[in-house]
Amino acid sequence: MQGVHFLLSLLVLGLASSFASAYDPSPLQDFCVAVKDSEIKSALFVNGKFCKDPKDVTANDFFFSGLDKPGNTSNRVGSNVTQLNVDKIPGLNTLGISLARIDYAPHGLNPPHTHPRGTEILVVVEGTLEVGFVTSNQQDGSNKLFTKILNKGDVFVFPIGLIHFQFNRGYTNAVAFAGLSSQNAGVITIANAVFDSDPRINPDVLTKAFQVDKNIIDYLQKQFWVDNNN
């Protein structure tokens, strides 16, 4: 019996280690301020950013000004995401966190998308949003939708990697702020990735996948797909 408990303990530790390694690694020093890509005169790529010499680090490496200013929502989806990741705040490098401001015009949409490297927690500070996420494929082949109407002060969590969206149900502007569990959570906007990839996905593939007429796929691939992330 003790042997069984020992094996179970090893299994739990192994699972815990695998979960921990699925997110940004913990820093091994107080900070690792990112060096701008333009300052690196090498073809070497790293998982993250190179560290600035601590002697050259200043308070500005941990600072950003202007998040009080609304983003431009005059696009076809009526939303704008202002990302504050490691590219905007170099001091975020290795810290495993970032922030975003999302502005929504009346009936504006932050289209279905995923963050492959981060969980998102969103708080509404103005307006009313319909939000939701869809699970991965279940054993019965279904994908469950979890959705909620959020008002000012409400909070909702979107698990890492799952497709999610936010829609402004109101007739006035809406604003939300989101924290993400990665210095660079990444964004895959579903419609853009499927219909506006470079080069384009073979229309025969999409026709078969979506079970629609090829003319519909041709039409969708000719559209101008908006990137609302800045």
Side-chain angles (χ1 to χ4, degrees):
M1 184 63 70
Q2 287 182 342
V4 172
H5 288 165
F6 177 73
L7 289 174
L8 287 175
S9 298
L10 287 178
L11 177 61
V12 170
L13 286 172
L15 288 172
S17 298
S18 66
F19 292 151
S21 64
Y23 300 91
D24 291 355
S26 299
L28 301 177
Q29 62 283 317
D30 288 342
F31 51 77
C32 173
V33 173
V35 176
K36 293 181 180 179
D37 293 338
S38 60
E39 296 174 359
I40 301 173
K41 299 178 176 61
S42 169
L44 180 67
F45 286 88
V46 296
N47 185 23
K49 302 283 188 178
F50 284 102
C51 301
K52 180 185 285 189
D53 189 327
K55 297 191 299 295
D56 298 328
V57 171
T58 69
N60 284 333
D61 290 316
F62 303 92
F63 173 78
F64 179 90
S65 179
L67 206 58
D68 58 317
K69 297 178 176 60
N72 183 4
T73 59
S74 60
N75 53 56
R76 294 176 67 178
V77 295
S79 69
N80 183 281
V81 181
T82 303
Q83 299 185 68
L84 292 187
N85 54 27
V86 68
D87 293 324
K88 299 284 185 65
I89 305 178
L92 288 175
N93 196 36
T94 77
L95 299 186
I97 193 171
S98 58
L99 180 69
R101 169 179 173 144
I102 309 104
D103 290 278
Y104 313 83
H107 296 113
L109 171 71
N110 190 12
H113 61 281
T114 73
H115 301 294
R117 295 182 293 275
T119 291
E120 175 181 344
I121 182 167
L122 178 132
V123 56
V124 178
V125 297
E126 183 180 328
T128 299
L129 297 178
E130 177 181 348
V131 306
F133 68 85
V134 181
T135 64
S136 58
N137 299 353
Q138 304 301 294
Q139 288 186 343
D140 61 1
S142 65
N143 301 85
K144 185 174 181 179
L145 170 66
F146 291 87
T147 186
K148 196 80 173 173
I149 303 299
L150 304 184
N151 296 300
K152 182 178 179 179
D154 290 343
V155 176
F156 200 78
V157 174
F158 305 104
I160 184 172
L162 298 185
I163 296 174
H164 59 283
F165 63 88
Q166 301 110 33
F167 175 63
N168 182 3
R169 291 170 58 97
Y171 294 92
T172 59
N173 293 333
V175 181
F177 289 89
L180 297 116
S181 62
S182 171
Q183 67 181 41
N184 183 17
V187 182
I188 302 173
T189 305
I190 306 305
N192 299 39
V194 172
F195 298 112
D196 196 31
S197 64
D198 183 18
R200 294 286 195 270
I201 297 174
N202 185 336
D204 293 334
V205 172
L206 298 181
T207 299
K208 189 78 170 179
F210 286 96
Q211 296 293 290
V212 295
D213 190 271
K214 187 172 179 293
N215 291 332
I216 296 177
I217 299 300
D218 291 338
Y219 170 79
L220 290 171
Q221 288 189 321
K222 291 176 182 177
Q223 301 306 300
F224 174 74
W225 294 95
V226 175
D227 181 5
N228 66 336
N229 288 271
N230 295 310

